[in-house]
Amino acid sequence: GTFMPECYKPGLGDTGTIKHAKKEGPYRVALVNGHTGIPWREQMIKSVKVWAAAPENAKNITELKVVSTGSDVAAQIAAIDNFIQAGYDAIAFIAVNPTAFDAVIKRAKQAGTVLVSFDNPVDNPSVLRITPEWIEFEGIIKAQSVVNQMKEPKGKILEIRGIQGNSTDRDRHLGVQKVLAKYPDIEVVEVVGNWDTGTVQKVTADAIAVHGFFDAIICQHGCRGVTNAIKATGHPPVPVGGDAENGFVKALAMNDIPGISVSTSPGQGPVAVRAAIALLQGGEFPALVNVPTPYVETKDMKPNVNYFPDEPDTLETVTGYAVCGADMVFTPAQLNAQSADNN
Amino acid sequence: MTAFLDIHLRRNNRALLAWLVLGGLLVYFLYIHPRGASIGVLSAWANQGTALAFLAVGQTIVVLSRGVDLSIGPIMALTNCLASHLVNGGPLELAFGIAVVVLAGAVCGAINGIVVVFGKIQPIIATLATGAIYSGFALIVRPIPGGSIDEMLSELTTGDLAGILPSSIVMLLVLVCLFWLPVSKASLGRSIVAVGSSEQAAYMSGLKVDRAKIAAYTLSGIFASFSGLFIGFQTLSGDPSIGLPYTLNSIAAVVIGGTALTGGAGSILGSIAGALILRTIGSLIFFTGLPPLAQPLFEGTVLLVAVAFGATRLLRINNRLEVFR
Amino acid sequence: MTEGNSFLALTDVTKTYGGVNALKSVCFEAKRGSIHAILGENGAGKSTLMKVLAGVTQPDSGAIRLQGDNVTFTNPADAAAKGIVCIFQELSIIPDLSVAENICLTQPPKTAFGLIDRKAQDRLATAVLKRMGCGEDIDTRSRCADLPLSKRQIVEIAKAIVRKPDVLILDEATSALTASDVGPVMELLRRMRDGGACILFISHRMHEIEALADTCSVFRNGEHVSTFASGAKTHDEIVQLMIGKPISQVYPDKPAEVPVAPPYLDIHDLRWGDQLKGVSLSLRPGEIVGLGGLDGQGQQEVLLAIAGVLRGTSGTMRVNGRPAVHRGPKGGKGSDMRIALIPEDRKTQGLFLSLSVRDNLTVSMLDRLSRYAVVDRLGEKALVDRMIDLLKIKADNADVAVGTLSGGNQQKVVLAKWLATDPKLLLLMDPTRGIDVGTKQEIYRLLRRLAGDGLAILFHSTDYDELIGLCDRALIMYDGRVASTLSGPSLNEHNILSSALNLSHDNSGRGTAAPSAALAEGLA
Amino acid sequence: MRAVSFVTSFDGPTKAIALAMLLLLAVGGAYYHQFLSPMYLVQQLQNGAFLGIVAAGAMMVILLGHIDLSVPWTITASATLATALVGTNPEALVSERGLVAGLGAGLLIGLVNGLGVAYLRIPSMIWTLVTNNIILGVCVFYSGFYALRSQPSPVMSALGAGRLFGIPCAILVWFAVSAVIVFLLRRSRTGRYIYAVGTHEPAAYLSGIDTRKVIVFAFVVAGLCSAVAGMLLTGYAGQSYQRMGDPYLLPGIAAVVLGGSSLFGGRGSYSGTVAGVLLITLISSMLSIMQAPEAAKQICYGVVIILMVGLYSRATPAN
Ligand SMILES: Nc1ncnc2c1ncn2[C@@H]1O[C@H](COP(=O)(O)OP(=O)(O)OP(=O)(O)O)[C@@H](O)[C@H]1O
Ligand SMILES: Nc1ncnc2c1ncn2[C@@H]1O[C@H](COP(=O)(O)OP(=O)(O)OP(=O)(O)O)[C@@H](O)[C@H]1O
Ligand SMILES: O[C@@H]1[C@@H](O)[C@H](O)OC[C@H]1O
Ligand SMILES: [Mg+2]
Ligand SMILES: [Mg+2]
């Protein structure tokens, strides 16, 4: 059977399994992040380090190297190449672009380096890819919940999209379309919020000023901007689907705005690193893994569980994946304590 | 060759300094690299700098004419997206595809030149605007990353030559020699420099100022298309937003390479060194023991030191009026 | 005037800039094989006419005929293609290119592959410079920006003559040349004339015109006033044509003796790099002291050092009795020193060409014109009016961009802006370059009056005539030192010349005939 | 300096932009009559306030012929620092220390920018790029050690999100900043110096202006403006967040140039900058509402800039 199937579920359109030749541990592992200056990514890095520092995990790791290369794809490819050259056993990475890595994946294969691609995965069936199922994430879970929380499934919905030209945005949008297609009485107004709170807030406020009223709002990221705009324009509280940043979840919970917070947790980082180690230990994985998608609707939100009144608004409230084991959930305190003093 | 590619560098030693710094950084990088110096490591190192180096070359030519090209990243992205449709198939198709891609880069560059010259618009804003337009077209050509590019070409250009030299660097130098060297030694190159040094004087002297500027931007577009092609060879695909981090970095490379943004003098080779320096700084974090959250700060600081080197010229100035040059 | 043999003819050329009539229905013609001098006050329209000829400016109306054919030029390249080459008043040297590259800028010699042949280019440039008598002075490989103004002007002339023009226009192209350089240039121009060229020569130096011109045309207020054969009119008659009234004495009388007073400026053993090798001088209030010599002997550097622009100078400097340490013009203009520096190049150092006359006039004294850092606009207006009045600046109004004024009026603005600061020590770097006799006379009188009011004036000039006519004393520099101090009767051409060449001026020193002859011709 | 005109007479670019905006509203209004509603228009002013304040600062350095590329992380860093201090001092007045610290951060960054450009003579385009990277580095590093708070102080909230007599306070802040800038440029000595240094620095130096101080001053003002925008944006969004400054850099520069300022320095009017901000804000809002695809937005944005700037650069030929 595959490794921890309750956590590493085969993804939609899965194409078999992945297994590598077993290697003796402990291992040298690298984590290659792309974009810098994004809280989710920082929390992801901290999560990996908290997890790797736990004695039962540390014993399998001789070296854990974490680098962030920024948004230049050439730099990210070079980072992976260098870790391959340097003989690292496994590399987990968040690709800055899903299609750019075919050549380096080939080189990894030749060198016998295990690659795990997560969060924004590559489009290459020969590496283990761990990702939320974005169509399900944004559609079946978020859009459906928003529709369900509407008084009746008709009227106008505002959909706030992410950065254009990005495949994640496209997949998430497809998810929304798929669900809303079932409701002929729902009209969708699409605007672009670039995953940026301030921009989301402006476009939401503008859309409200022009359209007057929306029956519901679906937002990808930066969704605190939606609740802000609702408040500022005096728009009546309507169901809002959004991200899991503390600020947004707080805003839903504390203002009784119906809605749902859906997220991919930065806990994906350790989930991916653990998979890399398991692969080295001979574990078998579905080639495409869909991590579960945590979500919570407003009515179920609880302080210090789903949101943290004393933590910053940019904290990702879902700090890990409970189904993936007790060691995959991190408290804010643990994350904050994670100092950055060794590699 | 330095002499040819240095276009009246006021102090030739700025480009030389850039190469020395690069040499130092590279040696340090190879030293801390667990694998040490090997052709694989060298190729990976060269590959990650080549796309930026192509852009830096193009940017330098525009800067020499006292312009600046903020559309260089978008042209790179647009040509990369085009390549992901066109650079596939048999040898003829490949040749045709590459020709179209380079032509597209040239056309974008020429449009920049025309907007600057006939629109009488300052280069920064003109190319900011055309850059937005090219980005729009890149999104049309390829709404999300994808497509494919010939793998054989990829291996040829990103691998090594006989296990000695990274082929990317060789290709870079060959293309520079083919496309810029003849220009720099002909009247056109001199006109570009003259315009950058003093546009009014060039005009009064009866030089074809407009033609020189358009040529500079066109060359920049051509080098941007090489960059788009090369990143395509590296990634085997097209991505409409691939150019984003490149535009400002190409300017940084030019400055680090010793070319003054005030035009008229500079060094193409210096800019290549500048580009490689920038990328080597990025590589250093792979194997230093830096905490991950300190890495961006480290990169910034090294960049700061590299840039602050430029200030040492003040120490040699004894006539305060020369400060303003 | 006969239409027949004129090579170049302009008819009814009119050009207006806003309210200014720069050219009013000008008819003008010039022949081949002749040097045709163009004279006129600052702002008479000389440069505008030349710009029309050279394709820089398009006339509002009128026609240009070249060898009988109507021609229109939309840019300088057009004009050059027809054989008209102009050396503009604002130089058109490319600063970052080398001397050789500048000289061969438009038609570089090419190799078989169509690339520039650097060796041939160097040879060509060297040959031209040699013909101009400065074969050794200028290294063809040096960057033009590093050359002093006078050398740049040589390159500019060389650059024009290698193009073998049919019509060569020199718009004050000799204004920055030192006497020693002028001679060979004149000789060259004569040879070109003899070769059939049509040369239009603008200069405010009357002796150059007398020595060179075959024909003279005088312009006044945008109108062509008169054309006559050189020598047909006396100096005074020409001046009268130019300014519309007779002018008697160019230089004001010198006071019998300068009032005794402690020196305002006292410099001892000033050194800077290898350019100043121990300069000592002192200057009393009320004194006008000239600074002369061959070009590049440290005259500019002395003034820059006093103004605090140079770093790393040694020696002592006392201003008003107190040791002076200050860094730059800002410190210099402070109330304890009151130093004003009129820089060498008005376009790049003295003025903000795109800003208004008003802004230029007040920029150096805004600190005194404002309260709590807010500019007092009434006070400003009063000052501007006063300065325009004092120097008789010809401008439509104070709001026009200073770049639109004629060269002479621009120079007056530079002077005015510093006089407005009420200086006690005035450092002038060749302030009358490109300025007409009338204006020169005004400036000389003004300076003398200011000296009379107690101002100390240090005056660097490339025009020896001026040193003799205006200054109480002249310091002649040679190789970073003051070679001699001349005053009274010993302040004469001969002594200036021999000091400049570092020959003792006591004996007749005619041994070195060659350079002296060249110099003498320049001064003639 | 005559070029500075605000209330008395509007210059060419300002008028051209006003016309363009009327045209835009007329065409847009035909699709959605709400584009003409006061609520929508006031909202555009509010949306424009952040960009407007950034552009005011950008203009100061652009008038000198320089550029400030550190805007993104100056905004983010000042906001991050401000909220971090607010978070640890929740009492009402004490928490305003955060606001002061945020503004101080902007000032300090501006000072560093200015010192590098003026005293080290490093080209601003590269120096401010470097400082931007350094600040990013500091912010990422800092967040590794501390649990940062992200709430704005009461004053920040009031200014960023509150209303006074029905007018969003952000607009009033923009107005106040504008008043200061206009006064500075038109009436103060420093304003004159800015135009002089921007026109030709060596001449300014020889005129007895300490050009270095003028440059430093302009960068400090720019840094302050970025910080003010950061404070407002934090109040508006109810939180600080990383990369919050990213959307303001290029539009800020574009607005200034659309408004007729020359990137070579020495020329530009503040009214043009305001008009440029409004045009950019309006276009991007209207295109967004009309659900134009991203490609069309980009192309439209580029074409508008070329048309407008091309139009008046041809109307007023330089020399
Ligand atoms: N007012 C000024 N404006 C612009 N640049 C200046 C100015 N004053 C000096 N500089 C130049 O800046 C550089 C650094 O100045 P430097 O430190 O040598 O001058 P300084 O004599 O120490 O004066 P200061 O103490 O004012 O810095 C020098 O190369 C100088 O030419
Ligand atoms: N570009 C311009 N814009 C406005 N007015 C101008 C411009 N160029 C020249 N003028 C005006 O035209 C008149 C003639 O100027 P021009 O430069 O031809 O004089 P000039 O005879 O060459 O004087 P100078 O001996 O001082 O060089 C002057 O009043 C001048 O102010
Ligand atoms: O998955 C996303 C992650 O990649 C990004 O960095 O932050 C937001 C998340 O939704
Ligand atoms: Mg003239
Ligand atoms: Mg100092």
Side-chain angles (χ1 to χ4, degrees), chain D residues 14-152:
Chain D
T14 313
K15 283 184 204 147
I17 293 176
L19 234 116
M21 282 195 290
L22 286 180
L23 198 77
L24 210 63
L25 284 172
V27 174
Y31 283 88
Y32 288 105
H33 63 90
Q34 290 92 335
F35 280 150
L36 306 174
S37 72
M39 175 182 169
Y40 178 78
L41 294 174
V42 167
Q43 197 152 292
Q44 296 321 299
L45 283 177
Q46 162 154 31
N47 290 350
F50 312 106
L51 183 60
I53 292 167
V54 170
M59 183 183 172
M60 297 294 284
V61 295
I62 285 175
L63 281 176
L64 290 174
H66 288 292
I67 204 155
D68 181 1
L69 298 181
S70 74
V71 163
W73 283 89
T74 307
I75 292 179
T76 305
S78 58
T80 306
L81 178 64
T83 56
L85 288 183
V86 168
T88 50
N89 299 285
E91 304 103 282
L93 265 179
V94 181
S95 68
E96 297 309 333
R97 283 209 301 226
L99 174 66
V100 174
L103 295 177
L107 190 142
L108 191 73
I109 294 169
L111 188 69
V112 171
N113 284 338
L115 290 176
V117 172
Y119 285 80
L120 301 183
R121 311 302 300 186
I122 298 170
S124 54
M125 200 188 258
I126 195 82
W127 178 247
T128 56
L129 187 66
V130 169
T131 53
N132 191 58
N133 282 356
I134 297 257
I135 310 165
L136 174 152
V138 170
C139 285
V140 169
F141 188 59
Y142 186 53
S143 75
F145 286 108
Y146 299 100
L148 295 182
R149 311 291 139 153
S150 60
Q151 267 97 310

Side-chain angles (χ1 to χ4, degrees), chain A residues 42 45 65-68 71-75 77-79 81-83 85-86 88 97 99-100 102-103 106 165 170 340 343, chain B residues 29 33-35 40-41 48 139 143-146 151 155 235 237 239 242 246 279 285-292 295:
Chain A
E42 283 158 31
I45 291 172
K65 191 68 92 185
V66 183
V67 298
S68 299
S71 49
D72 179 357
V73 68
I77 291 175
D81 268 328
N82 275 301
F83 286 120
Q85 296 277 346
Y88 279 70
N97 155 342
T99 62
D102 288 354
K106 232 184 191 171
R170 192 250 343 240
N343 89 2
Chain B
F29 172 64
H33 199 297
R35 177 72 185 275
V41 172
Q48 73 161 334
L139 274 171
I144 58 157
E151 289 198 28
E155 271 158 37
T235 64
S237 65
D239 176 354
I242 201 143
Y246 279 88
R279 282 295 160 264
I285 59 169
F286 300 159
F287 301 108
T288 50
L290 277 177
Q295 290 165 4

Side-chain angles (χ1 to χ4, degrees), chain C residues 279-292:
Chain C
V279 173
S280 300
L281 64 87
S282 74
L283 186 58
R284 276 177 287 157
E287 217 181 6
I288 302 182
V289 173
L291 212 48

Side-chain angles (χ1 to χ4, degrees), chain A residues 33 35 38-42 44 94-95 118-120 131-132 134 137 168 172 195 220-222 243-245 262-266 268 316:
Chain A
N33 174 38
H35 305 291
I38 298 174
W40 191 97
R41 299 295 177 96
E42 283 158 31
M44 183 274 290
I94 304 185
F118 69 102
D119 187 33
N120 291 341
T131 172
W134 288 113
F137 180 107
T168 313
R172 294 173 82 160
W195 294 327
Q220 289 186 9
H221 201 91
D243 57 46
E245 278 194 0
V262 188
S263 75
T264 164
S265 168
Q268 264 192 71
E316 287 288 339

